[in-house]
Amino acid sequence: MDGAPDTQPTRADAQREAVIRVRGLTNRFGPQVVHENLDLDVWRGEVLGVVGGSGTGKSVLLRSIVGLNKPAAGSIEVLGVDVLHGSDADRRRIEKSWGVAFQYGALFSSLTVLQNVMAPMREHLKLSKGLMRALGELKISLVGLPLSSCNKFPSELSGGMRKRAALARALALDPEIVFLDEPTAGLDPIGAAAYDDLIGELQRALGLTVFMVTHDLDSLYAICDRVAVLAEKRVLVEGPIEKMATVDHPWVQEYFTGPRARAASNKGRGS
């Protein structure tokens, strides 16, 4: 490769709507530079898989976009709102347009599943308790959890159920964008495949845009429309997963052409 990031816009790109636009992003933690001049667009209605080696800042990028990490430089727009410099009113408005499911759920341990799902509603909406409860139960059913789980605490749930409960909370405000941080980490292959199927079904049914940080090759092949590879402190390459095997970069080659990648590719094609 010549070292230039493969993120130049094409004619097809011009016909799409970028719901997330990151430009010139730099993230530093002390002397460590995690991102430098990183650019990325996320298109409306797509499932984008963000991958990269350990320490490339996949979760840091997600946290920067949703405002949990303040970058050293750059700009981030979500649905046309300047996330870094917008007004408090703009910030509150845009926060209702996304939902986040973190790697280990990040559920409030002292609240039941239903109370966790209702928490964003209490913060952002002026609804009666009865209506919030009904909406919360709807979201819990939507992610495939039985209503008997509503009154359980996170400690009483399996790992897979906690992930689904976290997803129900992420969907609480009917967001346009859902951020998922390593959604299948820690799940057995059957549970991971079921979760992938759930994300795909919800994305299609609700018209979601999904930003998914993952290392799971099965997920990439099963549900992602496009992949963005983080390396060398930036988005090294982005595009359909079939494109990745042609990228002349050691990590990309090892990741996307190894035996696990071949097995995931065959599984994704249904062979």
Side-chain angles (χ1 to χ4, degrees):
M1 295 184 64
D2 60 8
D6 191 1
T7 56
Q8 295 301 310
T10 66
R11 180 174 297 180
D13 293 341
Q15 298 174 350
R16 301 173 180 173
E17 179 187 357
V19 294
I20 300 173
R21 188 180 298 274
V22 180
R23 291 292 181 271
L25 187 71
T26 297
N27 274 304
R28 298 190 189 98
F29 298 96
Q32 181 184 10
V33 179
V34 178
H35 302 134
E36 188 169 27
N37 201 31
L38 181 152
D39 294 344
L40 178 66
D41 287 328
V42 181
W43 308 115
R44 180 178 294 279
E46 76 169 342
V47 180
L48 175 71
V50 179
V51 303
S54 178
T56 54
K58 302 181 293 295
S59 295
V60 173
L61 175 59
L62 185 158
R63 292 172 65 86
S64 297
I65 295 171
V66 302
L68 296 178
N69 176 72
K70 187 171 179 59
S75 65
I76 300 172
E77 288 186 3
V78 178
L79 298 171
V81 172
D82 185 336
V83 172
L84 302 179
H85 306 107
S87 67
D88 289 344
D90 283 341
R91 175 73 191 181
R92 286 187 62 82
R93 176 171 61 83
I94 202 65
E95 283 179 348
K96 292 191 290 185
S97 299
W98 69 51
V100 186
F102 293 101
Q103 180 172 352
Y104 299 108
L107 297 170
F108 299 114
S109 60
S110 60
L111 301 182
T112 65
V113 170
L114 181 58
Q115 289 169 337
N116 266 282
V117 176
M118 290 168 57
M121 302 180 198
R122 293 183 184 276
E123 181 179 357
H124 292 284
L125 305 178
K126 295 181 179 179
L127 300 175
S128 68
K129 186 175 181 180
L131 183 53
M132 285 193 292
R133 182 178 185 88
L135 289 173
E137 291 175 346
L138 175 62
K139 304 301 181 183
I140 289 168
S141 296
L142 198 62
V143 300
L145 288 175
L147 288 181
S148 59
S149 65
C150 286
N151 295 320
K152 293 183 181 294
F153 290 93
S155 61
E156 300 176 289
L157 303 177
S158 68
M161 292 178 74
R162 282 196 297 273
K163 287 181 180 288
R164 287 176 182 253
L167 180 59
R169 186 176 64 182
L171 296 173
L173 301 179
D174 295 328
E176 296 182 48
I177 305 169
V178 173
F179 295 90
L180 305 175
D181 191 3
E182 298 285 5
T184 58
L187 297 181
D188 62 74
I190 294 174
Y195 194 94
D196 285 341
D197 289 343
L198 173 63
I199 294 300
E201 290 170 5
L202 291 174
Q203 186 275 330
R204 291 186 293 272
L206 304 178
L208 299 171
T209 302
V210 180
F211 181 105
M212 181 171 67
V213 171
T214 186
H215 68 279
D216 192 332
L217 282 158
D218 288 340
S219 297
L220 294 174
Y221 279 98
I223 60 172
C224 288
D225 300 299
R226 198 163 55 100
V227 176
V229 178
L230 299 190
E232 300 175 11
K233 304 175 184 177
R234 59 190 172 90
V235 176
L236 182 78
V237 62
E238 56 80 23
I241 195 167
E242 294 79 12
K243 174 183 178 181
M244 298 301 114
T246 68
V247 177
D248 184 17
H249 184 276
W251 187 88
V252 179
Q253 280 289 310
E254 183 176 3
Y255 190 77
F256 286 101
T257 65
R260 290 191 176 188
R262 291 194 294 271
S265 174
N266 291 334
K267 186 186 299 184
R269 297 189 184 101
S271 58

